Amino acid sequence: MIWLLLLLAWLALGYAPAAAVFLPFHMLASSLVALLSAPGTILRLASNALLRKNHGLEHATINILEQELGDIRSAGMATEEGFFIKAQGVSAQDVAHAASLGRARLLEGNSRLAIHPRCGTSRAAANVIMSALFVVLLILGHLLSPAGILAALLLGHLTGPVFGTFLQKHFTTSARVERVFIVGVEALRSRGFLGLVFRPNTFFVRTVWH
């Protein structure tokens, strides 16, 4: 995390005047950007029913893959046409199976599958909390102290996942996927050095809404 690295650099420099001046203003600028951008991202998801449903299916798919295959270093992103899954050591068949099983379990009422702890919503929530604390500390204390920065980082780290789960459950995902159907899984191959084609580790799960 860039803020933590900057804090350590600040401490290592023994509160050098330049660092003492630069760090609070850098954090204030970053905090304002986070406070302005994160709510818009959350509102965009919250106001799009299909995107929320695909987001829930994406999480359910990743949760099933991780339950069955362990640490696959997964990530995902939902769109209105479906969702991307990025994972190591999985095949299109694995993803298709996980997506189908995830949808079935959501339909059975296992809405918890639509929540994932590493979702970008949780990271955005942690950033918003830390950013708000930085702004408050700067306004109240004029300059951020190392103790205040550490407190904000710690509080954001502890409360971000809880707030993020709340946002996922009520605003950015939906487990109501009765009208969403999976129609195919496409493996996206990438080209690397000298045009070599590597084994795909990114897949697009296409959905339709009837």
Side-chain angles (χ1 to χ4, degrees), residues 16 26 32 41 44 53 59 74 85 91 156 171 206-207:
H26 172 80
L32 290 175
T41 301
R44 181 177 64 86
K53 294 175 189 296
H59 285 177
S74 58
I85 296 290
S91 65
F171 295 101
R206 190 170 300 280
T207 63

Coordinates of all heavy atoms in Angstrom, one line a residue, residues 16 26 32 41 44 53 59 74 85 91 156 171 206-207:
A16 N 12.1 14.3 8.4 CA 12.7 15.3 7.6 C 11.7 16.4 7.2 O 10.6 16.0 6.9 CB 13.4 14.7 6.4
H26 N 0.1 14.9 0.1 CA -0.1 13.7 -0.8 C -1.3 12.9 -0.3 O -2.1 12.5 -1.1 CB 1.1 12.9 -0.9 CG 0.9 11.6 -1.6 ND1 0.9 11.5 -3.0 CD2 0.7 10.3 -1.2 CE1 0.7 10.3 -3.4 NE2 0.5 9.5 -2.3
L32 N -9.0 12.7 -1.1 CA -10.1 13.4 -1.8 C -10.5 12.6 -3.1 O -11.7 12.5 -3.4 CB -9.7 14.8 -2.1 CG -9.5 15.7 -0.9 CD1 -9.0 17.1 -1.3 CD2 -10.9 15.9 -0.1
T41 N -18.5 4.7 -8.2 CA -18.4 3.3 -8.6 C -19.5 2.4 -7.9 O -20.1 1.6 -8.6 CB -17.0 2.7 -8.3 OG1 -16.0 3.5 -8.9 CG2 -16.9 1.3 -8.7
R44 N -22.9 3.2 -9.4 CA -23.1 2.7 -10.7 C -23.5 1.2 -10.6 O -24.4 0.8 -11.4 CB -21.8 2.8 -11.5 CG -21.8 2.3 -12.9 CD -20.5 2.5 -13.6 NE -19.4 1.7 -13.0 CZ -19.2 0.4 -13.3 NH1 -19.9 -0.2 -14.2 NH2 -18.2 -0.2 -12.8
K53 N -26.5 -8.6 -10.6 CA -26.8 -10.0 -10.7 C -25.5 -10.7 -11.2 O -25.1 -11.8 -10.7 CB -28.0 -10.3 -11.5 CG -29.3 -9.8 -10.9 CD -30.5 -10.0 -11.8 CE -31.7 -9.3 -11.3 NZ -32.2 -9.9 -10.1
H59 N -19.0 -13.7 -8.1 CA -18.5 -14.0 -6.8 C -18.9 -15.5 -6.5 O -18.0 -16.2 -5.9 CB -19.2 -13.1 -5.7 CG -18.6 -11.8 -5.7 ND1 -19.1 -10.8 -4.8 CD2 -17.6 -11.2 -6.4 CE1 -18.4 -9.7 -5.0 NE2 -17.5 -9.9 -6.0
S74 N -7.4 -15.9 -7.8 CA -8.5 -15.5 -8.6 C -8.9 -14.0 -8.5 O -8.6 -13.4 -7.5 CB -9.8 -16.3 -8.3 OG -10.1 -16.2 -6.9
I85 N -13.4 -14.0 -15.3 CA -12.8 -14.7 -14.2 C -11.3 -14.9 -14.6 O -11.0 -15.4 -15.7 CB -13.4 -16.1 -14.0 CG1 -14.9 -16.0 -13.6 CG2 -12.6 -16.9 -13.0 CD1 -15.1 -15.4 -12.2
S91 N -9.5 -24.6 -16.0 CA -9.9 -24.7 -17.4 C -11.2 -24.1 -17.6 O -11.9 -23.7 -16.6 CB -9.9 -26.2 -17.8 OG -11.0 -26.9 -17.1
G156 N -9.1 1.5 9.0 CA -9.6 1.2 7.7 C -9.4 -0.3 7.4 O -10.3 -0.9 6.8
F171 N -26.0 -3.4 -1.9 CA -25.9 -2.4 -3.0 C -25.2 -2.9 -4.3 O -25.6 -2.6 -5.4 CB -25.1 -1.2 -2.5 CG -25.9 -0.4 -1.4 CD1 -25.5 -0.6 -0.1 CD2 -27.0 0.4 -1.7 CE1 -26.2 0.1 0.9 CE2 -27.6 1.1 -0.8 CZ -27.3 0.9 0.6
R206 N -20.5 -15.7 -20.4 CA -21.5 -14.9 -21.0 C -22.9 -15.3 -20.4 O -23.2 -16.5 -20.2 CB -21.5 -15.1 -22.5 CG -22.4 -14.1 -23.2 CD -22.2 -14.2 -24.7 NE -20.8 -13.8 -25.1 CZ -20.3 -12.6 -25.2 NH1 -21.1 -11.6 -25.0 NH2 -19.1 -12.4 -25.5
T207 N -23.6 -14.3 -20.1 CA -25.0 -14.5 -19.6 C -26.0 -13.7 -20.4 O -25.7 -12.8 -21.1 CB -25.1 -14.0 -18.1 OG1 -24.9 -12.6 -18.0 CG2 -24.1 -14.7 -17.2

